[in-house]
Amino acid sequence: IMVCDECEATANNLFFNYCACCDRRIYPHEYHFEMANGDIVCPDCALTQTRVCDRCGRRFYSSEMRRNNNIWLCQDCNINKGE
């Protein structure tokens, strides 16, 4: 999608997103990942900066995950691991 510089600021939310990690522009037709908190990340950052919780299956930033008995858990699942 081509957008002039003047319209780019208002077009951002309509035509594309930016990766929450590296600020790369992500167009609607490109594959991307949505984080549990709603952030959008590009595939490269999804592989290097995020993990999927082995219990609930949602994607979180690696810094928000905890390893417990060789499985990765988000903060919510780590707190409720006994349930």
Side-chain angles (χ1 to χ4, degrees), residues 52-80:
V52 174
C53 178
D54 289 323
R55 186 169 185 201
C56 69
R58 295 181 300 161
R59 184 171 295 276
F60 294 87
Y61 292 105
S62 297
S63 62
E64 298 173 331
M65 301 291 288
R66 299 293 174 257
R67 193 170 188 163
N68 189 337
N69 296 326
N70 290 330
I71 62 171
W72 287 96
L73 297 174
C74 67
Q75 292 175 357
D76 289 342
C77 290
N78 194 43
I79 290 170
N80 300 320

Side-chain angles (χ1 to χ4, degrees), residues 17-37:
N17 289 300
Y18 287 93
C19 176
C21 293
C22 70
D23 291 328
R24 188 185 83 127
R25 187 180 290 176
I26 303 172
Y27 293 93
H29 66 278
E30 289 184 288
Y31 192 74
H32 62 276
F33 294 84
E34 185 169 344
M35 304 293 290
N37 67 0

Side-chain angles (χ1 to χ4, degrees), residues 34-48:
E34 185 169 344
M35 304 293 290
N37 67 0
D39 286 355
I40 302 294
V41 294
C42 70
D44 291 337
C45 290
L47 291 174
T48 61

